[in-house]
Amino acid sequence: MSSFRALFVLAVLAVPGGVLAQSLDPGAQPYRKWDVGGGMGIRFGETEDAVVPAGGWNTEVSRYWTAHVMTSFSLMTAGQTSYTGPYVVNISQHTNTGPAAYSATAGYQFFDNVFMHPYVVAGARFASHSTTTTTYSARSPFNSSSVTSPSVLEARPVVGGGFKSYFANGRAFMRSELLMAINPHGSPHAVLTIGAGVDF
Amino acid sequence: MNIRSIVASALIFLFAASTSNAQSGQGYWQSYAERVGPKSLVVVHLENGRRVEGHIVQVSEQTLSVLPKTRIPVPVRQLAIADIQLIEIEREGWSPGAKVLVSVGSVFGLFAGIAIAMLAGSR
């Protein structure tokens, strides 16, 4: 079911770029169609999250369908362990996230052909994780047994914005971005990302 | 209106006063652009409310040629002198990317300094 939801979100994200590319005049302003970059992200939030790590590296590629509309795909380091309860004696449960997380977003970039573009994005972030439940014996010799569930793909909606600040050559840029992600319990996380990249 | 606009306007007024009173508005913007000179970075405010930021390429009696300051090069724009409301002189500064890089570097440097100081203090 989670895989289906993930595919559905990806399909939805792929639609606006293609539709808007047809309805807007792409020749109105010059623009470069691709950019690639990387950086680091730091999460601010009260609780742990199996999909959004506390910190990590990321790399991103974006396709510009017009001077303003873009879709992006990111690959992020993950691999975190999150304790998820059930917070009762003798039983502990934690999730082990896979080594990488992914995200797909669609965005809108403001202004034309300038050296600093504010932008807004919305999309989803995905990561697969398994849950390990460990039960401890209350009697000596206090053995424990663990059961690990199969990996499941989980998604988090993300929304946010940032700035693409270009260097004098007009191709290389710094990206500063703040994204909000919400976990299934409704706890929001803010992810601050700083990175650099180049248009081509 | 910022200080540069005020200074530019004052200069224009003084320049206009010192020359022939019969000189038209067109004339003093042309003279001003010539005095500022080619390659200068200016912001040209037009009568229709639009503004063009770029480097002066050429000044003629009727038109001011400006190469817009854009990320991806675009052709030179010919602006009619008669349409000019104001010319502001801009100063070439750091690019936004350089400013962000320096800011981020400064913040990381500050945190690194604090961390080093805390580690040194804990020993």
PDB file of all heavy atoms in Angstrom, chain A residues 26-41:
ATOM      1  N   PRO A  26       7.481  29.050 -23.274  1.00  0.00           N
ATOM      2  CA  PRO A  26       8.817  28.829 -22.766  1.00  0.00           C
ATOM      3  C   PRO A  26       9.855  29.756 -23.383  1.00  0.00           C
ATOM      4  O   PRO A  26      10.953  29.887 -22.883  1.00  0.00           O
ATOM      5  CB  PRO A  26       9.101  27.368 -23.123  1.00  0.00           C
ATOM      6  CG  PRO A  26       8.249  27.111 -24.313  1.00  0.00           C
ATOM      7  CD  PRO A  26       7.048  28.003 -24.188  1.00  0.00           C
ATOM      8  N   GLY A  27       9.502  30.398 -24.496  1.00  0.00           N
ATOM      9  CA  GLY A  27      10.470  31.254 -25.152  1.00  0.00           C
ATOM     10  C   GLY A  27      10.462  32.678 -24.651  1.00  0.00           C
ATOM     11  O   GLY A  27      11.217  33.515 -25.123  1.00  0.00           O
ATOM     12  N   ALA A  28       9.608  32.964 -23.673  1.00  0.00           N
ATOM     13  CA  ALA A  28       9.473  34.330 -23.196  1.00  0.00           C
ATOM     14  C   ALA A  28      10.763  34.844 -22.565  1.00  0.00           C
ATOM     15  O   ALA A  28      11.136  35.984 -22.755  1.00  0.00           O
ATOM     16  CB  ALA A  28       8.324  34.415 -22.203  1.00  0.00           C
ATOM     17  N   GLN A  29      11.426  34.018 -21.796  1.00  0.00           N
ATOM     18  CA  GLN A  29      12.665  34.413 -21.142  1.00  0.00           C
ATOM     19  C   GLN A  29      13.688  33.293 -21.311  1.00  0.00           C
ATOM     20  O   GLN A  29      13.321  32.121 -21.269  1.00  0.00           O
ATOM     21  CB  GLN A  29      12.412  34.634 -19.644  1.00  0.00           C
ATOM     22  CG  GLN A  29      11.736  35.939 -19.315  1.00  0.00           C
ATOM     23  CD  GLN A  29      12.650  37.134 -19.544  1.00  0.00           C
ATOM     24  OE1 GLN A  29      13.875  37.042 -19.429  1.00  0.00           O
ATOM     25  NE2 GLN A  29      12.062  38.263 -19.880  1.00  0.00           N
ATOM     26  N   PRO A  30      14.955  33.664 -21.482  1.00  0.00           N
ATOM     27  CA  PRO A  30      15.948  32.588 -21.580  1.00  0.00           C
ATOM     28  C   PRO A  30      16.117  31.909 -20.227  1.00  0.00           C
ATOM     29  O   PRO A  30      16.046  32.560 -19.191  1.00  0.00           O
ATOM     30  CB  PRO A  30      17.220  33.331 -21.992  1.00  0.00           C
ATOM     31  CG  PRO A  30      17.027  34.734 -21.546  1.00  0.00           C
ATOM     32  CD  PRO A  30      15.548  34.990 -21.599  1.00  0.00           C
ATOM     33  N   TYR A  31      16.291  30.609 -20.255  1.00  0.00           N
ATOM     34  CA  TYR A  31      16.530  29.869 -19.004  1.00  0.00           C
ATOM     35  C   TYR A  31      17.301  28.609 -19.328  1.00  0.00           C
ATOM     36  O   TYR A  31      17.275  28.125 -20.456  1.00  0.00           O
ATOM     37  CB  TYR A  31      15.213  29.548 -18.291  1.00  0.00           C
ATOM     38  CG  TYR A  31      14.308  28.606 -19.029  1.00  0.00           C
ATOM     39  CD1 TYR A  31      14.295  27.244 -18.731  1.00  0.00           C
ATOM     40  CD2 TYR A  31      13.464  29.065 -20.033  1.00  0.00           C
ATOM     41  CE1 TYR A  31      13.459  26.384 -19.423  1.00  0.00           C
ATOM     42  CE2 TYR A  31      12.640  28.209 -20.716  1.00  0.00           C
ATOM     43  CZ  TYR A  31      12.641  26.868 -20.415  1.00  0.00           C
ATOM     44  OH  TYR A  31      11.822  26.016 -21.108  1.00  0.00           O
ATOM     45  N   ARG A  32      17.990  28.095 -18.331  1.00  0.00           N
ATOM     46  CA  ARG A  32      18.704  26.837 -18.510  1.00  0.00           C
ATOM     47  C   ARG A  32      17.817  25.714 -17.989  1.00  0.00           C
ATOM     48  O   ARG A  32      17.160  25.881 -16.964  1.00  0.00           O
ATOM     49  CB  ARG A  32      20.054  26.894 -17.788  1.00  0.00           C
ATOM     50  CG  ARG A  32      20.975  27.939 -18.416  1.00  0.00           C
ATOM     51  CD  ARG A  32      22.409  27.795 -17.969  1.00  0.00           C
ATOM     52  NE  ARG A  32      23.247  28.725 -18.707  1.00  0.00           N
ATOM     53  CZ  ARG A  32      23.635  29.911 -18.249  1.00  0.00           C
ATOM     54  NH1 ARG A  32      23.283  30.299 -17.044  1.00  0.00           N
ATOM     55  NH2 ARG A  32      24.375  30.699 -18.989  1.00  0.00           N
ATOM     56  N   LYS A  33      17.843  24.597 -18.695  1.00  0.00           N
ATOM     57  CA  LYS A  33      16.831  23.566 -18.434  1.00  0.00           C
ATOM     58  C   LYS A  33      17.160  22.648 -17.265  1.00  0.00           C
ATOM     59  O   LYS A  33      16.267  21.990 -16.737  1.00  0.00           O
ATOM     60  CB  LYS A  33      16.626  22.733 -19.702  1.00  0.00           C
ATOM     61  CG  LYS A  33      15.920  23.517 -20.788  1.00  0.00           C
ATOM     62  CD  LYS A  33      15.644  22.659 -21.993  1.00  0.00           C
ATOM     63  CE  LYS A  33      14.857  23.450 -23.032  1.00  0.00           C
ATOM     64  NZ  LYS A  33      14.639  22.689 -24.253  1.00  0.00           N
ATOM     65  N   TRP A  34      18.415  22.561 -16.900  1.00  0.00           N
ATOM     66  CA  TRP A  34      18.783  21.627 -15.840  1.00  0.00           C
ATOM     67  C   TRP A  34      19.661  22.313 -14.802  1.00  0.00           C
ATOM     68  O   TRP A  34      20.402  23.232 -15.126  1.00  0.00           O
ATOM     69  CB  TRP A  34      19.569  20.445 -16.416  1.00  0.00           C
ATOM     70  CG  TRP A  34      18.802  19.578 -17.356  1.00  0.00           C
ATOM     71  CD1 TRP A  34      18.729  19.708 -18.716  1.00  0.00           C
ATOM     72  CD2 TRP A  34      17.992  18.446 -17.029  1.00  0.00           C
ATOM     73  NE1 TRP A  34      17.927  18.740 -19.245  1.00  0.00           N
ATOM     74  CE2 TRP A  34      17.464  17.946 -18.243  1.00  0.00           C
ATOM     75  CE3 TRP A  34      17.667  17.801 -15.833  1.00  0.00           C
ATOM     76  CZ2 TRP A  34      16.630  16.838 -18.278  1.00  0.00           C
ATOM     77  CZ3 TRP A  34      16.840  16.690 -15.873  1.00  0.00           C
ATOM     78  CH2 TRP A  34      16.334  16.225 -17.087  1.00  0.00           C
ATOM     79  N   ASP A  35      19.561  21.834 -13.596  1.00  0.00           N
ATOM     80  CA  ASP A  35      20.596  22.165 -12.626  1.00  0.00           C
ATOM     81  C   ASP A  35      20.865  20.944 -11.764  1.00  0.00           C
ATOM     82  O   ASP A  35      20.019  20.060 -11.623  1.00  0.00           O
ATOM     83  CB  ASP A  35      20.243  23.412 -11.798  1.00  0.00           C
ATOM     84  CG  ASP A  35      19.245  23.186 -10.691  1.00  0.00           C
ATOM     85  OD1 ASP A  35      19.311  22.152 -10.003  1.00  0.00           O
ATOM     86  OD2 ASP A  35      18.404  24.074 -10.491  1.00  0.00           O
ATOM     87  N   VAL A  36      22.069  20.895 -11.271  1.00  0.00           N
ATOM     88  CA  VAL A  36      22.454  19.795 -10.382  1.00  0.00           C
ATOM     89  C   VAL A  36      23.225  20.405  -9.221  1.00  0.00           C
ATOM     90  O   VAL A  36      23.951  21.396  -9.392  1.00  0.00           O
ATOM     91  CB  VAL A  36      23.286  18.736 -11.148  1.00  0.00           C
ATOM     92  CG1 VAL A  36      24.589  19.303 -11.671  1.00  0.00           C
ATOM     93  CG2 VAL A  36      23.548  17.520 -10.286  1.00  0.00           C
ATOM     94  N   GLY A  37      23.028  19.838  -8.060  1.00  0.00           N
ATOM     95  CA  GLY A  37      23.706  20.400  -6.892  1.00  0.00           C
ATOM     96  C   GLY A  37      23.704  19.435  -5.732  1.00  0.00           C
ATOM     97  O   GLY A  37      23.190  18.319  -5.810  1.00  0.00           O
ATOM     98  N   GLY A  38      24.302  19.876  -4.685  1.00  0.00           N
ATOM     99  CA  GLY A  38      24.362  19.059  -3.475  1.00  0.00           C
ATOM    100  C   GLY A  38      24.549  19.945  -2.271  1.00  0.00           C
ATOM    101  O   GLY A  38      24.831  21.142  -2.398  1.00  0.00           O
ATOM    102  N   GLY A  39      24.375  19.345  -1.115  1.00  0.00           N
ATOM    103  CA  GLY A  39      24.529  20.144   0.101  1.00  0.00           C
ATOM    104  C   GLY A  39      24.264  19.311   1.330  1.00  0.00           C
ATOM    105  O   GLY A  39      24.312  18.073   1.289  1.00  0.00           O
ATOM    106  N   MET A  40      24.003  20.006   2.395  1.00  0.00           N
ATOM    107  CA  MET A  40      23.711  19.310   3.646  1.00  0.00           C
ATOM    108  C   MET A  40      22.439  19.868   4.263  1.00  0.00           C
ATOM    109  O   MET A  40      22.112  21.040   4.092  1.00  0.00           O
ATOM    110  CB  MET A  40      24.873  19.439   4.629  1.00  0.00           C
ATOM    111  CG  MET A  40      25.212  20.849   5.027  1.00  0.00           C
ATOM    112  SD  MET A  40      26.420  20.916   6.347  1.00  0.00           S
ATOM    113  CE  MET A  40      25.519  20.180   7.686  1.00  0.00           C
ATOM    114  N   GLY A  41      21.722  18.980   4.955  1.00  0.00           N
ATOM    115  CA  GLY A  41      20.475  19.386   5.582  1.00  0.00           C
ATOM    116  C   GLY A  41      20.500  19.096   7.069  1.00  0.00           C
ATOM    117  O   GLY A  41      21.102  18.112   7.511  1.00  0.00           O
TER     118      GLY A  41
END
